Amino acid sequence: MRIITPKIFFAVVLTVFISGCATAPPRPRAGEASLKELCERYSVQLEWDSVSQVVTLSSGDLKVRALVGSDVALIGPEKITLSGTIRRTRDTIFVPRDFEAKVFQKFKKETGFDLKNFHKIVVDAGHGGKDPGARGKTGVKEKHIVLDIAKRLKRNLMKHGFDVVMTRETDEFISLEKRTEIAARAKADLFVSIHANASQSRSVDGFEVYYMGEFLTKDKKEVQRQKNTGTFFSRLNMKQDSPELDKIIADMLYNHKQYESRALANRLARDVSKFAGAQDRGERAARFFVLRNTLIPAVLIEAGYLSNSREEKLLQSDGHRQKLADGIAESIVDYVR
């Protein structure tokens, strides 16, 4: 009979821990995020001591320490209180959502890599020309409503010092491919698409904002995305046609896009709903063409439901459309600055 020594026992346990198990991976609860995924996104080194349960994050000279089961993170002498406790399930550590804003923002400041350096914004008025978009009960067309909001938003953003590029300024049809090409050529920092919604249920109303959901392997191979990537990369001061370098840049762009898009969508939904007196339907993940094929942070705003008689009437009002444009502009300004 083979005697299992403590050393062998812990080696076996460690092997199982590292390799994981055949069951489905643990999933985060509502209001949580995977610490490993956050570290990969920000290129931060993660270490976990299974005995002391201490988690150490490091990048450059900055180190952050936290304890599994605690709601506190230590950044040098600074104590950060979180909205919930750090939790571990099997080999996965989950942190409350505010961990990203309160802790990982420190790493961004330490490295001088400020992702909110937005100067040029593409404002995209959805539909147009032969594509009317949604229609209200009285016959109002989405393409006219969103173009007016987009023009008001442009004027508002320019007053705040932003350079604004419109995908269309008249009632003309612009293909989805062309819209993303405009963003790729413009050397823009943010893409904001304005739409109005419709539902089979006429009682549904409210303001909601979409950001890019899960990025699938097939998305990377999409013809339009590859074309836009080529346009974007051609202006970079780097060695061209380097697969390894291209992959690094593409991963950085994707991580930047996902983080900023979701964070901005959350703020827009909250701020504009309150400002315009609309129901806050929150931020939602989606895989719309213009979200998939833009390389920069991108959000798609649904300003209201034309299928709802009350909101249809509001959206036909100059005052309400101005409120929406004001709210969107102020929310973007607050987020950037």
Side-chain angles (χ1 to χ4, degrees), residues 14-257:
L14 182 61
T15 301
V16 172
F17 173 78
I18 292 174
S19 62
C21 54
T23 58
R27 293 181 176 274
R29 296 171 182 169
E32 288 185 335
S34 164
L35 183 57
K36 180 182 177 182
E37 291 180 2
L38 289 175
C39 287
E40 290 175 348
R41 183 183 304 169
Y42 287 88
S43 299
V44 171
Q45 185 177 348
L46 167 63
E47 295 179 8
W48 171 61
D49 187 325
S50 61
V51 177
S52 66
Q53 296 292 299
V54 172
V55 175
T56 303
L57 309 179
S58 57
S59 179
D61 296 329
L62 183 63
K63 286 187 181 294
V64 176
R65 290 183 174 84
L67 181 66
V68 173
S70 170
D71 63 351
V72 171
L74 297 176
I75 305 177
E78 183 182 0
K79 178 180 176 182
I80 304 293
T81 302
L82 307 169
S83 62
T85 59
I86 299 170
R87 182 176 66 88
R88 180 177 70 86
T89 299
R90 296 203 299 271
D91 61 341
T92 304
I93 298 173
F94 295 108
V95 294
R97 282 288 179 192
D98 62 340
F99 192 95
E100 181 173 9
K102 291 181 177 180
V103 176
F104 281 91
Q105 292 297 322
K106 302 285 185 179
F107 286 110
K108 286 167 63 175
K109 290 179 181 178
E110 178 73 11
T111 58
F113 186 47
D114 184 4
L115 297 181
K116 294 189 183 68
N117 192 24
F118 295 156
H119 298 289
K120 182 180 287 188
I121 299 175
V122 174
V123 175
D124 172 47
H127 307 283
K130 65 181 182 181
D131 177 12
R135 292 175 184 263
K137 189 176 181 180
T138 64
V140 62
K141 298 176 182 178
E142 177 184 359
K143 65 176 183 176
H144 297 313
I145 296 295
V146 300
L147 179 59
D148 183 73
I149 295 173
K151 286 182 175 180
R152 294 171 188 266
L153 177 59
K154 175 187 177 180
R155 291 193 292 268
N156 222 324
L157 289 172
M158 290 180 70
K159 287 179 182 178
H160 286 286
F162 291 99
D163 187 1
V164 180
V165 175
M166 296 277 285
T167 57
R168 71 178 182 97
E169 296 197 66
T170 60
D171 181 19
E172 61 178 318
F173 174 76
I174 305 291
S175 69
L176 296 177
E177 291 83 359
K178 184 72 172 179
R179 294 169 194 264
T180 65
E181 288 176 16
I182 291 172
R185 291 198 308 268
K187 299 182 182 180
D189 308 298
L190 177 65
F191 182 91
V192 179
S193 189
I194 310 294
H195 288 256
N197 221 331
S199 171
Q200 291 184 341
S201 173
R202 295 189 179 275
S203 64
V204 177
D205 65 345
F207 183 92
E208 58 196 0
V209 186
Y210 290 87
Y211 63 93
M212 177 60 187
E214 184 180 1
F215 194 64
L216 307 177
T217 301
K218 66 179 182 180
D219 297 330
K220 296 179 181 180
K221 299 177 181 178
E222 199 161 0
V223 173
Q224 189 59 47
R225 184 176 181 83
Q226 290 183 344
K227 183 176 181 180
N228 292 341
T229 299
T231 300
F232 186 94
F233 282 15
S234 66
R235 69 173 189 257
L236 297 179
N237 184 22
M238 68 179 198
K239 180 181 177 181
Q240 300 297 318
D241 300 321
S242 172
E244 291 185 5
L245 189 56
D246 286 355
K247 184 179 185 304
I248 292 172
I249 298 297
D251 288 344
M252 289 177 64
L253 287 170
Y254 169 69
N255 291 335
H256 171 35
K257 177 186 176 78

Side-chain angles (χ1 to χ4, degrees), residues 279-308:
Q279 180 184 344
D280 179 4
R281 294 179 60 85
E283 81 277 14
R284 298 165 183 251
R287 301 185 65 257
F288 299 133
F289 187 93
V290 294
L291 298 182
R292 293 197 316 269
N293 289 287
T294 44
L295 278 69
I296 56 177
V299 293
L300 188 147
I301 293 171
E302 293 285 5
Y305 279 76
L306 287 171
S307 51
N308 179 283

